[in-house]
């Protein structure tokens, strides 16, 4: 058994682990990186990258059916589902080298392709090696949660880890789960020619602004995606060669394929966390604001830390840990400025508080500013006028922003910057956005905040009148 001593041990080569390992080794730390499965983790292989690639294929197919408004004849696209999956593989392959073992070894990281298991508070066994580290970071991510629905174990079903390997287009795809993953895959498959039914036990897109979520859901329904809310899957069975899902509300739906997309579970089973005195909950490893576990030498970042499950959060966590573990400086994670995007078409994004939560917290101090896409010139030019931005502000400072519409995931980044730096509406209003761009909706929303203060204010009008009298 080989013993390896290092400054930093990173367990898991997903987005967070890779960001941390690359940053730490380039700053002079000795780094060991463990990965027992695929480099790049869920995001590259089963999540963000392949799902957006499949959505892009669906968008290309949909564009052929929606050209009449531009003088281009609508046509029914000839879709090759297997070729669309080849496109997905090509995209993953193009990004793979950036996350590869070879690249990280060139940076100076000691990459060991084994799963890690704690054997003491400061030691981890991986294959034939025992790694003793000054600091250890658990970045093992999460996996699809497969609920205990009677009959599910007897039925062939997909998760986000298997759906991208499917080569034959589903005739009728049943999706259990109306969250971002379920709805993104639902729309992609509908646009690629599949019949799709989504079953959601509560409210679809239930964590987003209700008004904007309803807007997006209506658009998906208009494209033919059947979305049934309040339909909790209670029993699943094979029936005459089809998969049948019986819901608690009495609905019974049958289809050719089943995708389970009800959430995620933390990857902690292999870690033997008790040996390191690390505490957990159902959500994942318990951490404090600095992302430290109950064992002060061990951190947890990304999905496994039990908070927001986004690639960009894992990357953000990596920066927090670098500051603390490498430089010994105090560093605390704050999630108020973390954006959340669903990449349906139209997209749905928010940062900070959604309107119901903002009203509950701030009451009468809250102002809600709205600006519609239909008043944006670029949106009009591209016939993408369906959309809305809502800004929740308290005393001139945004506390939350929600956007539904074209490129919402791109435009929410501005507001993440604003909230992260506690900027005010005046700073956004002072920005100069290029014309014509959809990004002008941010500036116009800020302008709408000041409109009643400037144009409907009698005092302002009196002051302007007096100044005009005295000006030469």
């Amino acid at each position: 058994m080989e013993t390896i001593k290092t400054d930093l041990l990173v367990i898991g080569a997903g987005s967070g682990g890779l960001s941390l390992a690359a940053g730490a080794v380039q700053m002079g730390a000795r780094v060991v990186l463990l990965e027992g499965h695929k480099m790049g983790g869920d995001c590259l292989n089963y999540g963000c990258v392949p799902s957006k690639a499949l959505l892009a294929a669906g968008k290309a197919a949909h564009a052929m059916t929606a050209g009449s408004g531009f003088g281009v004849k609508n046509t029914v696209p000839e879709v090759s589902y297997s070729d669309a999956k080849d496109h997905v593989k090509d995209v993953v392959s193009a990004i793979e080298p950036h996350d590869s073992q070879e690249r990280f070894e060139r940076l100076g990281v000691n990459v060991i392709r084994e799963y890690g298991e704690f054997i003491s508070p400061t030691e981890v066994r991986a294959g034939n090696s025992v790694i003793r580290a000054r600091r250890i970071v658990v970045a093992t991510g999460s996996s699809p949660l497969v609920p205990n629905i009677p009959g599910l174990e007897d039925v062939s079903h997909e998760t986000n880890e298997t759906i991208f390997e499917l080569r034959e287009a589903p005739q009728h795809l049943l999706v259990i789960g109306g969250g971002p993953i379920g709805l993104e895959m639902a729309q992609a498959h509908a646009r690629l020619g599949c019949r799709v039914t989504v079953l959601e036990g509560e409210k679809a897109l239930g964590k987003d602004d209700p008004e904007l979520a309803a807007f997006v859901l209506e658009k998906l329904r208009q494209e033919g995606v059947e979305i049934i809310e309040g339909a909790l899957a209670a029993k699943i069975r094979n029936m005459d060669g089809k998969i049948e899902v019986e819901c608690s509300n009495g609905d019974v739906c049958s289809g050719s394929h089943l995708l389970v997309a009800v959430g995620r579970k933390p990857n902690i089973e292999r870690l033997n966390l008790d040996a390191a005195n690390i505490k957990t909950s159902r959500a994942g490893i318990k951490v404090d604001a600095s992302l430290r576990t109950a064992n002060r030498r061990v951190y947890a970042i990304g999905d496994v830390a039990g908070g927001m499950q986004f690639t960009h959060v894992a990357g953000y966590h990596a920066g927090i840990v670098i500051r603390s573990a490498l430089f010994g400086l105090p560093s605390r994670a704050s999630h108020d400025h973390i954006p959340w995007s669903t990449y349906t078409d139209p997209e749905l994004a928010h940062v900070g508080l959604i309107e119901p939560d903002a009203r509950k917290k701030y009451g009468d101090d809250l102002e809600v500013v709205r600006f519609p896409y239909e008043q944006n010139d670029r949106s009009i030019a591209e016939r993408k006028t369906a959309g809305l931005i809502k800004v929740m502000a308290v005393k001139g400072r945004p506390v939350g922003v929600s956007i539904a519409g074209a490129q919402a995931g791109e435009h929410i980044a501005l507001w993440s910057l604003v909230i992260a730096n506690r900027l005010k509406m005046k700073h956004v209003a002072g920005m100069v956005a290029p014309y014509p761009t959809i990004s002008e909706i941010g500036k116009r929303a800020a302008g709408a905040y000041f409109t009643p203060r400037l144009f409907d204010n009698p005092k302002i009008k009196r002051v302007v009148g007096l100044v005009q009298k005295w000006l030469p």
Side-chain angles (χ1 to χ4, degrees):
M1 187 74 67
E2 178 189 18
T3 299
I4 301 172
K5 294 183 179 180
T6 189
D7 298 318
L8 183 68
L9 169 63
V10 182
I11 308 175
S15 175
L18 293 177
S19 296
L20 179 60
V25 77
Q26 291 178 91
M27 290 181 182
R30 295 173 300 164
V31 180
V32 174
L33 175 64
L34 304 183
E35 178 51 65
H37 192 34
K38 291 186 176 183
M39 297 289 289
D42 184 83
C43 179
L44 173 64
N45 298 289
Y46 313 115
C48 316
V49 172
S51 65
K52 297 333 164 254
L54 194 65
L55 282 168
K59 186 174 289 186
H62 179 71
M64 298 182 70
T65 71
S68 60
F70 302 94
V72 180
K73 185 178 179 180
N74 290 354
T75 184
V76 177
E78 294 184 15
V79 174
S80 169
Y81 187 78
S82 60
D83 286 351
K85 289 300 183 68
D86 287 341
H87 154 68
V88 172
K89 285 191 173 182
D90 287 346
V91 171
V92 173
S93 296
I95 298 173
E96 252 176 349
H98 184 76
D99 294 350
S100 67
Q101 177 175 345
E102 292 76 17
R103 174 175 177 259
F104 279 79
E105 288 178 337
R106 287 196 300 270
L107 289 174
V109 178
N110 182 358
V111 181
I112 300 175
R113 300 302 296 275
E114 299 282 355
Y115 291 106
E117 175 188 23
F118 282 94
I119 57 175
S120 79
T122 59
E123 295 175 306
V124 171
R125 180 170 54 225
N128 294 320
S129 301
V130 171
I131 301 99
R132 294 177 182 168
R134 302 172 69 86
R135 295 290 182 271
I136 301 172
V137 180
V138 180
T140 49
S142 63
S143 301
L145 173 64
V146 179
N148 186 24
I149 303 172
L152 180 59
E153 68 277 7
D154 300 321
V155 171
S156 176
H157 59 275
E158 310 293 337
T159 68
N160 75 294
E161 290 189 349
T162 62
I163 189 76
F164 300 109
E165 296 299 321
L166 197 63
R167 302 292 297 179
E168 184 177 345
Q171 181 182 8
H172 185 182
L173 178 65
L174 302 178
V175 181
I176 298 178
I181 295 173
L183 289 175
E184 287 178 6
M185 289 298 93
Q187 186 176 39
H189 281 80
R191 288 181 164 187
L192 292 172
C194 307
R195 183 182 172 191
V196 181
T197 299
V198 178
L199 305 173
E200 167 55 47
E202 297 181 3
K203 287 284 187 181
L205 296 175
K207 294 183 179 180
D208 286 277
D209 180 282
E211 178 187 8
L212 301 190
F215 164 78
V216 171
L217 295 174
E218 179 58 27
K219 292 296 181 183
L220 266 62
R221 289 185 171 110
Q222 289 174 5
E223 290 189 15
V225 178
E226 183 181 17
I227 302 170
I228 306 175
E229 297 177 293
L232 183 67
K235 295 180 182 178
I236 301 176
R237 51 185 170 262
N238 282 307
M239 186 66 66
D240 299 326
K242 292 188 175 181
I243 298 170
E244 193 170 83
V245 180
E246 181 180 331
C247 300
S248 57
N249 65 354
D251 287 344
V252 177
C253 299
S254 64
S256 61
H257 293 72
L258 176 64
L259 170 64
V260 179
V262 297
R264 312 280 298 172
K265 63 178 182 178
N267 293 331
I268 58 176
E269 295 85 358
R270 300 173 181 269
L271 292 170
N272 191 27
L273 295 173
D274 288 343
N277 302 320
I278 295 172
K279 300 185 183 304
T280 64
S281 68
R282 290 183 63 185
I285 295 175
K286 291 183 178 180
V287 295
D288 62 16
S290 65
L291 303 174
R292 272 194 166 108
T293 69
N295 177 344
R296 303 293 291 173
R297 290 180 177 268
V298 180
Y299 298 80
I301 65 174
D303 289 9
V304 78
M308 291 180 164
Q309 296 178 332
F310 303 122
T311 296
H312 48 280
V313 171
Y316 167 64
H317 283 175
I320 298 293
V321 171
I322 282 178
R323 181 180 173 88
S324 176
L326 267 62
F327 296 100
L329 298 173
S331 188
R332 299 166 64 88
S334 170
H335 296 94
D336 294 343
H337 63 297
I338 300 296
W340 174 318
S341 295
T342 300
Y343 298 96
T344 48
D345 181 12
E347 294 182 0
L348 178 61
H350 78 245
V351 63
L353 299 174
I354 60 175
E355 183 179 353
D357 295 339
R359 289 197 180 281
K360 186 182 298 183
K361 182 172 182 178
Y362 292 105
D364 293 339
D365 290 333
L366 180 73
E367 292 183 70
V368 179
V369 182
R370 306 159 67 91
F371 186 79
Y373 271 58
E374 64 186 12
Q375 294 182 26
N376 175 270
D377 292 356
R378 183 63 177 271
S379 298
I380 295 170
E382 297 194 4
R383 295 191 179 275
K384 296 178 179 178
T385 55
L388 174 69
I389 179 173
K390 293 168 64 173
V391 182
M392 279 58 70
V394 177
K395 298 179 180 178
R397 179 172 285 116
V399 296
V401 180
S402 295
I403 309 175
Q407 302 175 8
E410 306 288 340
H411 304 313
I412 203 67
L414 165 67
W415 297 98
S416 174
L417 173 70
V418 169
I419 292 177
N421 292 280
R422 294 183 57 80
L423 302 180
K424 291 192 171 186
M425 297 293 272
K426 66 180 182 181
H427 297 109
V428 181
M431 173 189 72
V432 177
Y435 175 88
T437 56
I438 298 178
S439 63
E440 286 183 286
I441 63 169
K443 180 179 175 66
R444 293 291 299 275
Y449 175 82
F450 289 106
T451 293
R453 290 165 168 79
L454 296 176
F455 303 147
D456 300 329
N457 189 331
K459 292 182 179 179
I460 294 291
K461 293 180 179 181
R462 285 198 298 269
V463 169
V464 171
L466 289 171
V467 171
Q468 292 305 307
K469 288 180 180 179
W470 287 99
L471 283 176

